[in-house]
């Protein structure tokens, strides 16, 4: 499969650059000449402070920017492909990626729906079986939709009667989804098509004849306008989207977005109103047997003072997970007719661990907790009595436990750093756990071990970190080490299996994951401690992790690489500009890197202000300006070898963040270390990326580190 990069012959590019290109850079064995990147005189003023933005023009989606991207790829691609270890790494990635993988089964009316990948299929295939042990058949194979496999299945939702499945497709990695409806028996699509949708699933009416969904408004040119708010619509099967009925829109707040969900009993349209990771509300509207809205919208929770997650409604009582007044979270029961919080009843009180998710299956509440950054699952009766703790396969990560109040069985997935994801079933009544599907991975992971350590951050906070390494590892400071982090939006970094990480271990590497503040490892307090005016805590935690690894002789600066994606890309950009002397290489991927303008890209991006703040607010501007990677690149500084990666179709963290950062680094670089920008052209933020493209991407990143960290005689087998 050819690589989907915007390429240009290196020879043509170099001759076209002439003497007007940026200064050459290299690593002592290969000289690079970067594209000439114009620096404009553009200046913005924030609260009396003038801030230069010389690369503002790279925000434009036009041929000038596209040509610049092609030139950057024409530097990066030959450099990476010339690294001798790359082909060996790619071959090993391909070999180990080739193992069968299953998704979590979903049951509707006796039928079971699940995803399966035979190993090297570019996209997982949707299967259906008429019973749990029945012969499965292919319901939808996304690999047939486009030759390069860059059209991906986004979400799928079977109808309550099991006869239909609503599913979404993403083209080229975009977050935009186009929804279709397929007949399960015939495998044919119905004419229904829904557009202008992002981020949330559609939800079936109880009679399986309608879908509630949230959508953006339509622009005059026929595209969706994600600079505006969503609203909720009802679609009746067999009718065009133009006849859909709007059933709810927010008119009293400029940034909140509503997302619909039909309750398990089919009697309520539950509306979660999102205003950032720390601020949600729950409204509802009663609906009839055919899904038609009845009565007015009721604002059950309208305070927007905490997180509120709808779990289910039983006998007109809403069960809700919340962080209100309880940083670790609790589950409350709220009568549908409640007019004040005095009517709320604690069902599952706050525990010693962070409550991160909850479902209601088989008449019991399944509560997922985090204990020192690994999963713990407890099952409660509806009166709050602890029934049992689920016997998990190990100290790793679980997800799933979906189903209805009528189901006796539920399924979950388990994995850790050295255990490929397996699928398990839970008998909700008895607590019995049974293995359902286990992959056969073509390598022996027993040669490696994961340990958890705690280290002290700058302000004395104890921060946990997972370290995966060879069992016979010697601490002599010479091991190439990858330090990974995220630290934002209450998202915890838990043990998870990764083929690229396993190949890194085979190459002699150490893999470390720091559980930074800003994440959800220890509840809402841990999250808030890494937001807005306290965002620097996240970077201090990551820097302290690097210093600890060096002090404990796991590695040394010339052998230490840092990597992060999205908010983690911001993390890498911030620490490498604050402490360029500390790292041997940096891999910021699809990062949020211009903190003064991140919120201008879309309405969704603006909602990240719950963690980042806004440059419109003076105190938050000063905090952002102090760490914003694009604004803290200093000319003449020696920055570590850096590979910046992004994708042209990323409409979540738009690629101009990476463009600006790479341009600034290339202009400022004060030594021979390379600064490369690699841009994928048929990919987005990461979801739906085909297997072949993932393998190429990881081969590039690991090869870059082989060269940057001086990893001689790389072995790629255990």
């Amino acid at each position: 499969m050819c690589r989907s990069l915007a390429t240009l012959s290196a020879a043509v590019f170099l001759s076209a650059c002439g003497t007007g290109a940026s200064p050459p850079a290299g690593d002592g064995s290969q000289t690079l000449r970067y594209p000439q990147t114009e620096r404009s005189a553009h200046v913005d003023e924030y609260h009396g402070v003038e801030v230069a933005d010389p690369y503002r023009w790279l925000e434009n989606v036009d041929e000038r920017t596209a040509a610049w991207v092609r030139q950057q790829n024409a530097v990066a691609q030959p450099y990476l492909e010339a690294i001798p270890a790359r082909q060996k790494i790619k071959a090993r990635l391909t070999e180990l990626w080739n193992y069968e993988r299953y998704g979590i089964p979903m049951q509707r009316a006796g039928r079971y729906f699940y995803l399966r990948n035979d190993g090297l299929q570019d996209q997982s295939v949707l299967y259906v079986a008429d019973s749990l042990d029945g012969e499965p058949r292919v319901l939808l194979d996304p690999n047939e939709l486009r030759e390069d496999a860059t059209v991906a299945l986004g979400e799928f939702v079977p109808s309550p009667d099991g006869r239909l499945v609503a599913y979404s497709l993403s083209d080229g990695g975009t977050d935009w989804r186009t929804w279709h409806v397929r007949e399960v028996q015939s495998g044919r699509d119905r004419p229904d098509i829904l557009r202008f949708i992002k981020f949330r699933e559609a939800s079936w009416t109880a009679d399986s004849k309608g879908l509630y969904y949230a959508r953006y408004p339509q622009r005059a040119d026929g595209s969706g306008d994600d600079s505006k708010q969503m609203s909720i619509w009802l679609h009746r099967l067999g009718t065009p989207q133009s006849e859909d009925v709007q059933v709810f829109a927010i008119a009293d707040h400029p940034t909140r977005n509503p997302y619909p969900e039909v309750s398990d009993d089919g009697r309520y349209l539950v509306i979660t109103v999102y205003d950032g990771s720390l601020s949600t509300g729950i409204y509802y509207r009663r609906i009839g047997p055919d899904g038609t809205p009845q009565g007015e919208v009721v604002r059950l929770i309208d305070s927007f003072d905490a997180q509120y997650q709808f779990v289910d409604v039983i006998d007109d009582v809403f069960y809700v997970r919340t962080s209100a007044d309880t940083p670790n979270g609790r589950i409350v029961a709220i009568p549908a007719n409640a007019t004040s919080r005095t009517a709320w009843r604690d069902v599952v009180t706050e525990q010693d661990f962070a409550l991160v998710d909850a479902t209601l299956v088989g008449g019991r509440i399944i509560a997922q907790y985090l204990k020192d950054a690994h999963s713990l699952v407890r099952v409660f009766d509806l009166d709050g009595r602890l029934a049992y703790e689920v016997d998990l396969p190990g100290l790793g990560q679980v997800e799933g436990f979906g189903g209805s109040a009528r189901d006796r069985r539920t399924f979950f997935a388990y994995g850790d750093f050295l255990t490929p994801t397996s699928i398990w079933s839970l008998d909700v009544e008895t607590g019995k756990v049974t293995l359902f599907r286990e992959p056969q991975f073509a390598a022996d992971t027993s040669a490696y071990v994961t340990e958890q350590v705690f280290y002290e951050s700058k302000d004395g906070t104890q921060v946990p970190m997972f370290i995966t390494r060879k069992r016979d590892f010697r601490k002599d400071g010479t091991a190439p080490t990858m330090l990974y982090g995220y630290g934002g939006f209450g998202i915890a970094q838990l043990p998870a299996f990764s083929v690229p990480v396993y190949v890194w271990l085979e190459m002699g590497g150490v893999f470390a994951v720091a559980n930074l503040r800003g994440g959800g490892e220890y509840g809402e307090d841990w999250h808030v401690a890494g937001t807005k005016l306290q965002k620097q805590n996240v970077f201090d935690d990551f820097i302290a992790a690097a210093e600890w690894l060096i002090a404990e002789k796991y590695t040394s600066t010339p052998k230490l690489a840092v990597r992060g994606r999205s908010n983690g890309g911001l993390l890498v950009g911030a620490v490498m500009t604050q402490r360029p002397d500390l790292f041997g290489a940096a891999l910021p991927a699809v990062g949020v890197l211009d903190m003064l303008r991140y919120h201008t890209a879309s309405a969704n991006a603006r909602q990240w202000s719950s963690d980042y703040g806004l440059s419109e607010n003076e105190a938050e501007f000063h905090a952002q300006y102090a760490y914003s990677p694009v604004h803290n690149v200093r000319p003449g500084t020696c920055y570590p070898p850096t590979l910046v990666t992004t994708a042209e179709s990323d409409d979540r963290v738009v690629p101009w963040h990476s463009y600006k950062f790479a341009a600034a680094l290339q202009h400022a670089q004060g030594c021979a270390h390379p600064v490369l920008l690699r841009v994928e052209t048929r990919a987005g933020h990461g979801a739906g990326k085909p297997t072949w493209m993932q393998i190429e991407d990881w081969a590039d990143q690991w090869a870059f580190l082989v060269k940057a960290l001086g990893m001689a005689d790389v072995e790629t087998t255990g």
Side-chain angles (χ1 to χ4, degrees):
M1 182 71 70
C2 64
R3 302 178 68 190
S4 181
L5 284 168
T7 59
L8 184 68
S9 162
V12 172
F13 162 65
L14 290 173
S15 63
C17 287
T19 58
S22 300
D27 62 358
S29 62
Q30 185 174 356
T31 299
L32 298 173
R33 189 167 294 276
Y34 302 125
Q36 183 175 5
T37 306
E38 179 185 336
R39 290 173 55 84
S40 74
H42 188 100
V43 174
D44 294 311
E45 184 175 318
Y46 298 87
H47 311 287
V49 179
E50 291 190 345
V51 178
D53 192 358
Y55 304 115
R56 176 69 65 85
W57 65 271
L58 287 171
E59 295 184 14
N60 299 328
V61 182
D62 56 18
E63 177 53 32
R64 183 186 181 197
T65 300
W68 181 85
V69 168
R70 290 193 294 269
Q71 292 172 351
Q72 290 287 346
N73 276 336
V75 173
Q77 186 173 340
Y79 179 96
L80 296 167
E81 291 183 345
I83 298 171
R86 187 185 184 280
Q87 280 304 111
K88 186 188 294 186
I89 294 169
K90 178 182 173 181
R92 185 58 171 165
L93 285 166
T94 303
E95 180 182 9
L96 290 184
W97 219 292
N98 191 15
Y99 71 97
E100 187 178 39
R101 301 180 294 280
Y102 283 86
I104 300 171
M106 185 182 302
Q107 187 268 136
R108 292 291 185 276
R111 281 178 164 152
Y112 289 82
F113 302 81
Y114 59 88
L115 296 173
R116 175 185 174 273
N117 193 302
D118 67 12
L120 290 177
Q121 285 178 297
D122 285 309
Q123 302 288 347
S124 292
V125 177
L126 177 60
Y127 285 82
V128 62
D130 292 331
S131 66
L132 189 58
D133 300 320
E135 184 67 24
R137 65 182 187 277
V138 173
L139 184 57
L140 176 65
D141 185 354
N143 299 287
E144 299 175 350
L145 300 178
R146 184 181 163 100
E147 185 178 0
D148 65 359
T150 56
V151 174
L153 174 63
E155 300 84 18
F156 67 93
V157 186
S159 62
D161 63 10
R163 296 179 179 180
L164 301 168
V165 62
Y167 69 93
S168 70
L169 297 177
S170 167
D171 188 357
T174 176
D175 281 335
W176 288 110
R177 300 290 196 263
T178 301
W179 281 79
H180 305 263
V181 177
R182 179 158 292 195
E183 297 173 351
V184 173
Q185 191 63 40
S186 69
R188 292 192 299 265
D189 277 352
R190 296 173 63 103
D192 306 81
I193 298 177
L194 304 178
R195 296 186 173 90
F196 320 122
I197 301 171
K198 283 187 178 185
F199 306 126
R200 290 298 188 274
E201 296 178 347
S203 188
W204 286 97
T205 56
D207 64 357
S208 300
K209 295 180 180 179
L211 288 162
Y212 281 99
Y213 65 100
R215 53 161 283 190
Y216 287 101
Q218 184 178 359
R219 290 190 175 101
D221 65 1
S223 63
D225 185 359
D226 64 353
S227 69
K228 303 293 195 305
Q229 288 172 289
M230 296 181 185
S231 54
I232 295 176
W233 297 70
L234 173 60
H235 173 74
R236 296 292 187 184
L237 295 188
T239 65
Q241 188 176 16
S242 59
E243 295 181 9
D244 291 355
V245 177
Q246 186 184 78
V247 298
F248 180 72
I250 294 174
D252 60 351
H253 195 281
T255 62
R256 292 171 182 164
N257 275 314
Y259 301 108
E261 179 181 354
V262 176
S263 62
D264 184 44
D265 62 10
R267 298 173 55 239
Y268 289 90
L269 172 64
V270 182
I271 302 168
T272 296
V273 183
Y274 183 81
D275 195 26
S277 62
L278 295 167
S279 179
T280 52
I282 295 179
Y283 303 168
Y284 72 80
R285 193 171 180 183
R286 295 181 187 271
I287 52 180
D290 64 350
T292 302
Q294 298 177 341
E296 299 300 317
V297 171
V298 176
R299 300 190 175 205
L300 186 69
I301 302 173
D302 197 33
S303 54
F304 293 92
D305 59 339
Q307 284 187 353
Y308 297 94
Q309 174 201 351
F310 170 70
V311 178
D312 207 343
V313 57
I314 304 291
D315 297 330
D316 298 316
V317 175
F318 283 72
Y319 291 84
V320 175
R321 178 184 70 87
T322 180
S323 61
D325 304 318
T326 49
N328 279 348
R330 58 180 167 142
I331 296 174
V332 296
I334 308 173
N337 60 1
T339 57
S340 72
R341 295 198 179 193
T342 58
W344 293 18
R345 172 175 60 87
D346 279 3
V347 177
V348 178
T349 57
E350 186 179 28
Q351 311 281 302
D352 294 334
F353 319 114
L355 175 63
V356 294
D357 199 7
T359 53
L360 203 160
V361 183
R364 282 177 162 167
I365 294 170
I366 303 176
Q368 298 184 44
Y369 294 92
L370 294 182
K371 179 181 180 181
D372 290 335
H374 64 79
S375 294
L376 173 73
V377 182
R378 290 174 172 171
V379 178
F380 297 87
D381 291 328
L382 293 185
D383 61 4
R385 183 183 66 85
L386 176 64
Y388 54 86
E389 189 169 298
V390 178
D391 184 17
L392 299 179
L395 300 182
Q397 174 181 186
V398 298
E399 60 178 340
F401 299 103
S404 77
R406 299 174 299 278
D407 292 336
R408 174 170 174 164
R409 177 193 289 118
T410 185
F411 295 88
F412 67 93
Y414 171 85
D416 57 46
F417 291 113
L418 296 171
T419 305
T421 301
S422 52
I423 308 299
W424 300 74
S425 71
L426 169 69
D427 185 313
V428 179
E429 182 177 340
T430 67
K432 182 180 179 181
V433 172
T434 306
L435 180 63
F436 179 65
R437 293 287 187 272
E438 183 178 31
Q440 300 301 311
F441 186 62
D444 181 9
T445 63
S446 65
Y448 305 93
V449 65
T450 298
E451 59 181 326
Q452 187 178 45
V453 301
F454 290 80
Y455 64 90
E456 188 173 289
S457 190
K458 182 178 181 179
D459 63 359
T461 299
Q462 291 293 305
V463 181
M465 177 164 57
F466 291 107
I467 302 173
T468 304
R469 54 170 176 77
K470 286 186 176 180
R471 286 188 181 274
D472 59 357
F473 175 75
R474 289 189 306 160
K475 296 182 183 179
D476 59 10
T478 65
T481 298
M482 166 58 64
L483 174 60
Y484 181 85
Y486 187 80
F489 300 96
I491 299 173
Q493 299 305 294
L494 307 182
F497 187 77
S498 162
V499 170
V501 168
Y502 187 80
V503 171
W504 175 255
L505 296 173
E506 286 190 336
M507 291 164 59
V510 172
F511 182 67
V513 177
N515 298 109
L516 315 171
R517 280 175 285 184
E521 286 85 348
Y522 293 103
E524 206 56 55
D525 286 347
W526 191 257
H527 173 197
V528 172
T531 63
K532 293 187 176 180
L533 303 186
Q534 302 180 90
K535 188 66 178 175
Q536 183 60 39
N537 285 337
V538 183
F539 314 135
D540 290 342
D541 288 355
F542 205 50
I543 289 169
E547 292 175 333
W548 188 92
L549 288 166
I550 293 170
E552 294 296 318
K553 296 192 180 301
Y554 282 84
T555 191
S556 56
T557 287
K559 297 292 185 180
L560 176 60
V562 282
R563 183 177 184 273
R565 299 187 76 260
S566 194
N567 176 74
L570 161 62
L571 171 69
V572 171
V575 300
M576 67 174 284
T577 51
Q578 292 181 16
R579 288 293 308 276
D581 60 305
L582 187 58
F583 309 108
L587 300 176
V590 292
V592 186
L593 297 160
D594 182 340
M595 300 311 299
L596 304 187
R597 288 183 52 77
Y598 77 87
H599 60 288
T600 65
S602 67
N604 176 61
R606 188 178 180 88
Q607 289 189 320
W608 305 340
S609 61
S610 59
D611 268 51
Y612 297 150
L614 292 167
S615 56
E616 300 162 3
N617 304 322
E618 185 170 1
E620 292 171 353
F621 157 72
H622 287 293
Q624 292 173 329
Y625 193 36
Y627 70 78
S628 177
V630 165
H631 300 94
N632 283 278
V633 176
R634 308 300 180 200
T637 301
C638 181
Y639 291 102
T642 302
L643 174 60
V644 182
T645 53
T646 187
E648 280 190 341
S649 297
D650 190 345
D651 49 2
R652 190 177 309 181
V653 179
V654 288
W656 53 252
H657 285 277
S658 295
Y659 299 170
K660 286 183 171 185
F661 188 53
L665 284 173
Q666 289 176 350
H667 172 77
Q669 181 64 295
C671 60
H673 294 159
V675 176
L676 302 179
L677 173 65
R678 181 193 185 279
V679 184
E680 203 74 64
T681 58
R682 282 288 298 171
H685 199 60
K689 200 171 186 178
T691 297
W692 72 264
M693 193 182 289
Q694 293 184 62
I695 290 172
E696 295 284 357
D697 184 12
W698 283 107
D700 282 346
Q701 294 190 55
W702 283 176
F704 182 81
L705 294 186
V706 166
K707 193 174 184 72
L709 303 182
M711 297 170 63
D713 301 322
V714 170
E715 295 294 334
T716 55
T717 59

